[in-house]
Amino acid sequence: MTDRLEASACTSILVGKKASMDGSTLIARNEDRHAAIEGKRLIAQPAVSGRKETYVSPYNKLTVPMPENGYRYISMPNLDQTAGPNEENGFNEKNVGESATESIFANEHVLALDPFIKNGLAEDSLLTLVLPFIDSARDGVRYLGELVKKYGSAEGNGVQFNDKDEVWYMEIVTGHQWVAVRIPDDCYAVTGNQTSIQNIDFNDSANYMWADGIQEFVKDNNLNPDFEGFNFRRIFGTDTEFDRHYNTPRVWYAQKYFNPSIEQDPESSDMPFIRKAEFKITPEDIQFILGSHYNETKFDPLGTGCEKDKHIYRSISLARTAQSHVLQMRDSNKNGAAAVEWVSLGVPSFCPYVPVFGNVTDIDSSYKDVPEKLDLKSAYWIYETLAMLVESHYKEFIQDDIDYRKELSEWAHRKIDEVDKKAVTMSGDELTSYLTKQNKEIVKHYNDKTKELMASLVTKGTELSKLQFVSGQWL
């Protein structure tokens, strides 16, 4: 499973409703893959009823009878389906969001006692087998926990769920052991490829969930390194040199952004998983972090630090980030357009986050039809091309790119406000049809503006060629 874990090295951010600017719950993640080009689609999956079907994973042959009925949902599967659907993230029609998965690692002691199950639940299946069948964030943890109990897990994964009220983070670390924590309403959490959840209160089932028998598993096998308490990270996680260069610096940078007054070491193993931010968080704050590369620090690989500092830590945004998303769930009791998924294809350092409403039956063809080779009719290829253009002349192009993304974000908020005012007067099929149409208008605007920027950058770039000569310059 090592290659698969390395191919799915992501960064996740979760925000409770009282910690956000507008009362939304927010879950977000960069999906980082093995190669710089691994195509992603955005699709709408229909509701099903009376189905008689068995799911078989193309990746590891996990075999699960599917429920007869399932909700409509949107998702972002891989273009290449040979290793499974890998639907990754989306909202269902019950306004529940899921982001799966954050690849995480357990230590050798716990894995020796409860090894992974070769044909158990793996990343390729964790959204397909869960999101269509859950009614709340808490229900997502419960439902996935039951699947792990029955089929086991093939790898270590962290999974996020949100609804209008709650945000949950679940860590599955061995073949059968897992815990989950409800992110407090006034807090945020950040994780990057590590077992992150800390102290578990087994007397508080309202805010914690766990695998049956996990306390006995730890006690009977003498796995707890502490004299008291149950720190899941210390019992099940890792604390290695690799962690301190690949994982913890990403948490450090995000916490530095949300809590600028707190001084921490980028290589610290003691940074808390859950914190209160020093200000209310917006989707744009999360988008900045997910698109960041240690900006304005000596560790920025695109900055002016020394070569050693610029390459000592793995940054949050990478060339191999296939897509990034922020799942924003507003108050669905007041607004039928409450579910907004901000989607960034390509490298989020350079590409905008496009707002997509979740309660829809179809997605624009530029997002669902993705050819294997470059084609500027495809949003995936538009944004991959934009990222390559901007980075090719970073110093000369980055301000143009920043201005373009800011302009689009401003436009997006006006558009969402416009849609909200009309959506409150609608329901049922009328609402779904309206939101489906609005998504296509939004996507077209972003695609058109991006092509305009690309044309401008190509024109500007021709003046930056080194193949230039000025008469008399030898004098």
Side-chain angles (χ1 to χ4, degrees), residues 384-394 397 453-455 457-458:
E384 287 288 358
T385 303
L386 173 64
M388 188 279 295
L389 276 174
V390 175
E391 190 176 354
S392 69
H393 292 291
Y394 180 75
F397 288 174
L453 174 65
M454 288 163 56
L457 295 181
V458 169

Side-chain angles (χ1 to χ4, degrees), residues 215-234:
Q215 290 171 276
E216 292 77 12
F217 173 78
V218 170
K219 182 179 179 181
D220 293 347
N221 292 292
N222 300 308
L223 295 172
N224 193 341
D226 298 322
F227 291 107
E228 58 183 32
F230 193 100
N231 187 315
F232 186 74
R233 180 196 294 180
R234 283 179 49 76

Side-chain angles (χ1 to χ4, degrees), residues 87-155:
E87 292 194 281
E88 295 294 337
N89 50 275
F91 282 114
N92 69 22
E93 64 180 283
K94 293 297 181 178
N95 288 317
V96 181
E98 179 183 0
S99 180
T101 58
E102 178 78 31
S103 297
I104 59 176
F105 301 86
N107 62 64
E108 61 271 30
H109 300 290
V110 295
L111 286 172
L113 294 161
D114 184 23
F116 291 127
I117 307 302
K118 184 176 181 180
N119 63 342
L121 288 151
E123 179 176 350
D124 67 301
S125 306
L126 285 178
L127 191 123
T128 305
L129 295 179
V130 177
L131 187 59
F133 314 112
I134 58 176
D135 293 284
S136 68
R138 180 187 296 269
D139 191 39
V141 175
R142 177 200 61 79
Y143 192 91
L144 180 50
E146 290 178 357
L147 289 176
V148 173
K149 183 177 181 178
K150 185 170 184 178
Y151 298 101
S153 179
E155 56 197 19

Side-chain angles (χ1 to χ4, degrees), residues 43 86 90-91 125 142 156 207-208 221 242 295 297 307 339 375:
I43 61 174
N86 284 283
F91 282 114
S125 306
R142 177 200 61 79
N207 294 297
Y208 299 90
N221 292 292
F242 177 83
N295 306 50
T297 76
E307 287 305 305
D375 185 335

Side-chain angles (χ1 to χ4, degrees), residues 67-100:
E68 290 189 4
N69 304 316
Y71 299 131
R72 183 179 71 246
Y73 65 104
I74 61 172
S75 68
M76 294 196 72
N78 283 1
L79 179 62
D80 180 0
Q81 294 282 292
T82 58
N86 284 283
E87 292 194 281
E88 295 294 337
N89 50 275
F91 282 114
N92 69 22
E93 64 180 283
K94 293 297 181 178
N95 288 317
V96 181
E98 179 183 0
S99 180

